[in-house]
């Protein structure tokens, strides 16, 4: 018999009871009972009515239960339905007055979700109405506080304290009975400081706080006073739902009344209870100050809603609170009330089942589930929240289990459930993450795992695994994964994005993760898409078989394919991250799947290209075209290789065929270098033909376009070679040598072309008109130097050192690498010298062209006004103007060479146009003008060592000699003769002499000389013999005016005469012995009877080398000095030349020159000794 047939009278009287969709009588009764009672009278009346109604339910239920319970069919999930119904029939806190969310409305909605018959539903209501739990509890979560302050402390002092909380349930009606006077227990003020708390154990398993009693709980101490965070959960038992209040008090740890954090529990917890009596007393008519207490929050339990409260509440000081009382801070508190279950609570598996039932019902009711708001109705959401609160299921567990239910629904084969969109799943996942982040933001570590039970994690893993399995079965419907595109990535993210997020949650271990299944399916699809793309592209490459020399279009097509492949292999972070999260190394798969087919095609085409180049090697156009194509293919493959190498390990590289790509282009390397040279020379020719424009380096320094084009050509060659980057040492050395030689030849050719153009424009012709430095001339010089300087960069650009070292390592011989470096340096050094020679020639021509104007200005101080000091100013002015122009417009490396050439021109003009035979005063003026010019050139940047070069020394020596008096010149002349220790150009024999001096009185000395013998004298007679004698003179004549010469006897017909004659020169001042140029002159002559005596040679002995002796008789003990004979020569410079030039006005100089010319002019040639008798010997006249 059904419940409908056995219904009671109240049910039969309700006409709506016959309809299964309309609420029954019991539902209507409890709906009316769900409104809030506002007065104490209404509450007492409601309590009486509730008692009568309960009594009625008990009586009716007892009768019906005995008669018809056995006929009620067992329904699915009955226990869950009863548990939910029990929570709804006995609501706590403030019932929601919103239509649809009232307890009665929720009961009706629950029946519809579970699909319970109306009669069975009313039966269950009667059954659960009497199962009202006896005990109620409040769940208080103290999250954080802000803006806390202590009224009686300074801000700096407040920062030194750390706050904590104490929570309890207080009944004001009962607390008013207590007073400090009548209480037998000691108050906190009278208790000894630091006394232990009397606490009772609290049996709530989820409380993270330190419990100090059954009704008094203490939190942990938070760090920081400004914004402390606790995030601790407390459960407190409620005795009277309508009168009890929740008190949350805040204290400072370092205060005098701070209770110690001790795990020792005293029986009854008297310390905290007595403390709260004091607090209650102060909150009434007696205002007291509680030391160490910041303030408190008082929340009536009746104001807490069933579905929890989470908000910021003001913290007020302890004492009476009115409208004028200012808060001392705020605290965020989450509050909820629930029954204390007498039996075991429902588990998370039960909540999962309840959530699944509600979601299935929502899907059936709402066919279009594109919006998450339509998935669960507010009634279902309220029922689930109430069930979770009543069974102590956390908000995080709720969100995880709800997400698990949605994943199971999506993976379900039921077609009606497929209307769930990914948006619903994403929002549910975001709810999980936001809930967890909210928990972390309240003081927990970010690395801490979610506080979930094994059952919750197991349910989540199962649901996620089923969801991912459903996705893998649909991967074939996705667009092509290669080549990667924004559209395909967006589609793939939309399909697999949720799966990635699910796998990224920290709820997996290595054994339970489902990465492998999804990764394998994705890996297979990626390989298939890559193979399809490569097959299509290679088919396009080989589609030119009917074309003559098909290798050319095939290479072009392969270059395009390789470039496209390289662009697809360029790592993108978004792709790497997305596929990596799924366990697939996208670019590694692409590299291994594409390189083998590409390598095979490239190697085959390069073999054909080598044959093509050999066949057309006599046709430059074909070689240039094929070389450029093969080089383009090389660069494309190299780029592809470098890109895929970044994502591969060294072990992976050994598996690649493309790793040997440089070997495929060994034969083409020679043709590449040949093409480089051809293109370089062609470009240089064109650059010089159209060289009209100039390029500004600074505001004044300029180049022409020709030098810029040439250097850009060189730079392109070196850059291409660096990009080629051949690893084979032999090929690398060959290429570097060829390119170095190519660039050196190009630089030389450019300099030659510049000079050819200047010659064609008659620049080197002699022109008498005025010459000034102009822009075009400076640009020409800059062009040559600009190109030359590039040669100095080749060792670094072409990496000579690295190439040489690699070659030495390859052949295990350091000499080979050094030889290659020597060759390279020789190439650049030779080219540098050739170009510098061309530049120096051009600079010399510029200086020569300026010579006419410089000479005109120099004649002013050389000829016209030598005595005028300012006569040199015009020369300096002209030079300054042109040198300033050169300094501004020439490169810094050219200007020093230009000023050096111009300095040589000035010295040459000075030397050539300085007058001869003038008096010493004239040459003193010349010396001053030369110093002025030297200082000017040094100030213009001429190096000092160049300013004092050979030309300047020669000119300055000549001026210095001309400034000397004639006597000094004579002394200088004999000084030069005496110090001339060099071997004579012609051997004339030797003369052995002894010389010394004897000291006399009054500073006088006697010079003693002994002529010993001569040997190997030249034969000056026709017979080859001589009649020699020696003439002794003390020189120079200006020092020894009154000293007469002496001579030896004549020794006839001999070349080795023996004289052994001594001579004395008395009364010689001793100071003359050390005088500059003082000497003894030994002149050997050949005596003739009919003509003047012939000069054989002379020997000079400096007086400074003479040694003193005690007397003439001691001369024999003096060592013999044997000296070679010399013949004086007439020179174009030197003291004798100056004396000869001034002979016209200086008698002393004239006499000296006349005397010396006898020996200089009369120097007969040496004759060989005759064996026969001559005609003169027959007559006895042989000389």
């Amino acid at each position: 018999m059904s419940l409908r047939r056995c219904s009671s009278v109240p049910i039969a009287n309700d006409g709506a009871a016959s309809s299964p969709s309309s609420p029954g009588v019991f539902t209507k009764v409890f709906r009316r009972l769900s409104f809030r009672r506002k007065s104490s009278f209404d509450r007492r009346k409601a309590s009486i009515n509730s008692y009568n109604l309960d009594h009625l339910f008990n009586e009716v239920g007892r009768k019906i239960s005995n008669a018809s319970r056995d006929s009620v069919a067992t329904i699915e999930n009955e226990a869950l339905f009863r548990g939910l119904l029990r929570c709804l029939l006995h609501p706590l806190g403030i019932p929601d007055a919103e239509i649809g969310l009232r307890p009665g409305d929720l009961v009706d909605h629950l029946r519809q979700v579970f699909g319970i018959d109306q009669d069975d539903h009313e039966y269950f209501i009667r059954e659960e109405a009497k199962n009202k739990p006896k005990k109620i509890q409040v769940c208080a979560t103290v999250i954080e506080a802000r803006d806390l302050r202590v009224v009686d402390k300074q801000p700096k002092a407040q920062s030194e304290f750390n706050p904590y909380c104490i929570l309890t349930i207080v009944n004001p009606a009962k607390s008013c009975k207590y007073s400090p006077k009548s209480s037998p227990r000691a108050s906190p003020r009278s208790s000894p400081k630091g006394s232990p708390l009397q606490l009772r154990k609290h049996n709530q398993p989820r409380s993270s706080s330190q419990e100090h009693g059954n009704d008094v709980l203490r939190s942990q101490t938070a760090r920081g006073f400004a914004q402390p965070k606790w995030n601790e959960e407390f459960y407190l038992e409620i005795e009277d739902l309508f009168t009890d209040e929740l008190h949350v008090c805040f204290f400072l740890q370092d205060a005098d009344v701070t209770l110690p954090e001790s795990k020792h529990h005293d029986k009854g917890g008297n310390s905290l209870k007595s403390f709260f009596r004091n607090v209650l007393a102060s909150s009434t008519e007696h205002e007291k100050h509680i030391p160490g207490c910041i303030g408190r929050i008082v929340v009536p339990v009746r104001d807490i809603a069933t579905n929890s409260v989470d908000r910021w509440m003001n913290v007020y000081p302890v004492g009476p609170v009115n409208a004028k009382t200012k808060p001392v801070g705020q605290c965020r508190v989450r509050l909820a009330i629930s029954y204390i279950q007498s039996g075991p609570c429902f588990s998370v598996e039960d909540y999962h089942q309840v959530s699944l039932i509600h979601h299935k019902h929502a899907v059936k009711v709402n066919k279009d589930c594109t919006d998450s708001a339509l998935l669960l109705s507010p009634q279902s959401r309220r029922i689930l929240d109430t069930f979770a609160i009543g069974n102590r299921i956390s908000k995080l567990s709720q969100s995880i289990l709800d997400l698990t239910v949605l994943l199971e629904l999506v993976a379900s084969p039921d077609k009606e459930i497929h209307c769930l969109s990914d948006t619903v799943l994403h929002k549910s996942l975001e709810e999980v993450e936001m809930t967890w982040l909210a928990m972390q933001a309240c003081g927990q570590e970010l690395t801490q795992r979610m506080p979930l039970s094994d059952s919750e994690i197991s349910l989540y893993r199962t649901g996620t695994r089923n969801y991912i399995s459903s996705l893998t079965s649909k991967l074939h419907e996705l667009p092509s994964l290669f080549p990667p595109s924004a559209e395909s990535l967006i589609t793939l993210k939309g399909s697999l994005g949720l799966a990635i997020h699910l796998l990224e949650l920290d709820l997996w271990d290595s054994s339970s993760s489902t990465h492998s299944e999804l990764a394998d399916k994705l890996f297979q699809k990626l390989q298939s898409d890559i193979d399809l793309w490569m097959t299509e592209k290679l088919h396009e490459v080989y589609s030119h078989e009917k074309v003559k020399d098909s290798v050319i279009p095939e290479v072009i097509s392969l270059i395009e394919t390789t470039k496209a492949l390289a662009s697809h292999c360029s790592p993108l972070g978004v792709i790497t991250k997305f596929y990596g999260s799924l366990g697939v190394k996208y670019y590694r798969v692409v590299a291994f799947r594409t390189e083998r087919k590409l390598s095979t095609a490239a190697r085959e085409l390069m073999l054909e290209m080598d044959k093509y180049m050999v066949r057309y090697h006599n046709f430059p156009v074909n070689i240039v075209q094929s070389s450029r194509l093969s080089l383009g293919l090389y660069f494309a493959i190299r780029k592809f290789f470098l890109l895929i190498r970044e994502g591969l390990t060294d072990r992976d590289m050994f598996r690649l065929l493309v790793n040997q790509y440089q070997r495929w282009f060994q034969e083409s390397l020679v043709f590449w270098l040949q093409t480089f040279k051809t293109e370089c020379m062609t470009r240089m020719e064109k650059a010089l033909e159209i060289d009209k424009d100039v390029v500004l380096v600074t505001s004044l320094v300029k180049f022409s376009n020709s030098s810029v084009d040439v250097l850009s050509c060189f730079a392109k060659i070196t850059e291409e070679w660096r990009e080629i980057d051949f690893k084979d040492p032999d090929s690398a050395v060959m290429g570097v040598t060829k390119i170095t030689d190519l660039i050196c030849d190009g630089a030389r050719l450019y300099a030659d072309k510049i000079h050819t153009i200047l010659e064609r424009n008659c620049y080197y012709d002699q022109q008498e008109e005025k010459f000034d430095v102009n822009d075009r001339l400076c640009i020409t010089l800059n062009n040559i130097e600009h190109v030359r300087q590039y040669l100095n960069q080749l060792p670094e650009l072409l990496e000579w050192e690295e190439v040489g070292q690699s070659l030495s390592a390859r052949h295990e011989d350091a000499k080979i690498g050094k030889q290659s470096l020597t060759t390279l340096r020789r190439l650049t050094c030779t080219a540098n010298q050739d170009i510098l020679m061309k530049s120096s020639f051009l600079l010399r021509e510029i200086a020569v062209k300026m010579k006419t104007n410089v000479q005109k200005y120099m004649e002013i101080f050389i000829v016209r006004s030598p005595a005028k000091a300012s006569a040199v100013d015009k020369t300096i002015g002209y030079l300054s103007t042109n040198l300033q122009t050169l300094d501004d417009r020439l490169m810094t490396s050219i200007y020093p060479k230009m000023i050096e050439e111009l300095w040589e021109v000035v010295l040459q003009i000075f030397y050539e146009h300085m007058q001869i035979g003038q008096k010493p005063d004239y040459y003193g003026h010349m010396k001053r003008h030369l110093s002025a010019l030297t200082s000017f050139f040094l100030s213009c940047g001429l190096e000092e060592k160049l300013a004092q070069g050979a030309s300047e020394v020669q000119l300055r020596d000549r001026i210095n000699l001309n400034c000397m008096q004639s006597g000094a010149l004579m002394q200088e002349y004999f000084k030069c003769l005496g110090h001339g220790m060099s071997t004579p150009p012609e051997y004339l024999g030797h003369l052995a002499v002894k010389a010394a001096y004897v000291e006399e009185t009054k500073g006088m000395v006697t010079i003693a000389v002994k002529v010993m013998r001569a040997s190997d004298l030249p034969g000056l007679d026709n017979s080859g013999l001589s009649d020699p004698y020696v003439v002794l003179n003390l020189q120079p004549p200006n020092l020894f005016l009154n000293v007469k010469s002496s001579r030896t006897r004549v020794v006839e017909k001999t070349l080795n005469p023996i004289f052994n004659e001594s001579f004395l020169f008395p009364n010689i001042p001793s100071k003359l012995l050390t005088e500059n140029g003082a000497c003894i002159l030994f002149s050997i002559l050949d005596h003739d009877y009919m003509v003047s005596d012939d000069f054989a040679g002379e020997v000079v002995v400096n007086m400074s080398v003479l040694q003193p002796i005690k007397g003439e008789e001691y001369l024999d003990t003096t060592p013999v000095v044997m000296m070679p004979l010399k013949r004086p020569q007439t020179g174009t410079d030197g003291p004798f030349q100056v004396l000869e030039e001034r002979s016209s006005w200086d008698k002393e100089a004239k006499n000296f020159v006349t005397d010396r010319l006898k020996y200089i002019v009369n120097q007969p040639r040496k004759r060989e000794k005759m064996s026969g008798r001559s005609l003169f010997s027959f007559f006895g006249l042989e000389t």
Side-chain angles (χ1 to χ4, degrees), residues 1034-1162:
L1034 300 184
Q1035 297 289 348
N1038 63 309
L1039 297 179
F1040 305 96
L1041 294 176
N1042 299 321
V1043 180
K1044 295 181 179 181
S1045 63
S1046 300
R1047 59 176 290 179
T1048 66
R1049 61 186 175 82
V1050 177
V1051 181
E1052 296 182 350
K1053 300 184 184 301
T1054 181
L1055 299 179
N1056 300 293
I1058 298 175
F1059 299 104
N1060 289 328
E1061 297 183 33
S1062 299
F1063 303 92
L1064 296 176
F1065 297 94
N1067 300 324
I1068 303 299
S1070 60
K1071 63 179 182 180
L1072 295 181
L1073 295 178
T1074 58
E1075 191 70 27
N1076 184 33
C1079 64
I1080 305 173
L1081 180 63
F1082 299 87
S1083 300
I1084 302 177
L1085 291 89
D1086 175 35
H1087 177 70
D1088 292 329
Y1089 292 96
M1090 301 180 62
V1091 295
S1092 61
D1093 295 344
D1094 295 327
F1095 177 68
E1098 62 185 7
V1099 171
V1100 177
V1101 176
N1102 291 323
M1103 290 186 181
S1104 60
V1105 301
L1106 299 182
Q1107 298 297 323
I1109 57 176
K1110 295 182 179 180
E1112 180 182 353
E1113 62 276 8
Y1114 291 98
L1115 184 60
D1116 292 335
T1117 62
T1118 303
V1120 176
V1121 178
M1122 183 173 246
M1123 303 180 67
L1125 272 66
K1126 296 181 180 180
R1127 288 181 176 181
Q1129 303 295 325
T1130 57
T1132 57
D1133 54 3
F1136 185 81
Q1137 179 67 26
V1138 175
L1139 289 170
E1140 188 176 11
E1141 290 171 353
R1142 64 172 61 174
S1143 297
S1144 59
W1145 56 271
D1146 190 341
K1147 185 178 180 180
E1148 183 182 8
K1150 181 178 181 181
N1151 293 334
F1152 177 80
V1153 169
T1154 302
D1155 183 66
R1156 288 302 296 168
L1157 285 177
K1158 294 178 182 179
Y1159 302 101
I1160 294 175
V1161 175
N1162 184 20

Side-chain angles (χ1 to χ4, degrees), residues 829-865:
C829 182
T830 304
N832 264 314
Q833 292 175 355
D834 293 343
I835 297 173
L836 286 175
M837 184 177 64
K838 294 287 184 181
S839 298
S840 299
F841 181 75
L842 180 57
L843 293 173
R844 195 173 301 112
E845 288 297 324
I846 295 174
V848 169
K849 286 183 174 296
M850 296 176 64
K851 182 177 180 180
T852 304
N853 296 328
V854 174
Q855 179 178 336
K856 181 177 66 174
Y857 289 109
M858 291 182 67
E859 286 179 353
I860 297 175
F861 65 86
I862 293 176
V863 180
R864 301 176 190 173
S865 305

Side-chain angles (χ1 to χ4, degrees), residues 456-507:
E456 294 167 344
I457 295 176
S458 177
L459 289 171
Y460 168 78
R461 291 175 180 176
T462 303
T464 303
R465 192 177 291 110
N466 295 335
Y467 171 74
I468 292 178
S469 298
S470 67
L471 289 181
T472 55
S473 63
K474 302 177 183 178
L475 283 179
H476 64 278
E477 301 175 1
L478 296 176
S480 177
L481 303 182
F482 186 84
S485 62
E487 294 78 9
S488 63
L489 184 62
I490 292 173
T491 303
L492 196 61
K493 279 187 174 182
S495 301
L496 304 179
L498 181 64
I500 295 174
H501 291 164
L502 293 172
L503 295 174
E504 287 177 349
L505 287 181
D506 192 15
L507 298 174

Side-chain angles (χ1 to χ4, degrees), residues 211-252:
E211 303 170 0
H212 290 270
N214 189 37
D215 54 355
V216 179
L217 302 178
R218 183 188 188 280
S219 73
Q220 296 179 356
T221 303
R223 294 184 180 180
F225 184 81
Q227 291 183 341
K229 294 182 179 180
W230 294 278
N231 195 37
E232 294 187 55
E233 191 177 57
F234 304 90
Y235 289 91
L236 297 168
E237 184 177 347
I238 301 172
E239 296 180 0
D240 193 333
L241 180 64
F242 299 102
T243 61
D244 284 354
E245 294 177 347
L246 172 65
H247 285 230
V248 182
C249 298
F250 299 88
F251 292 87
L252 298 179

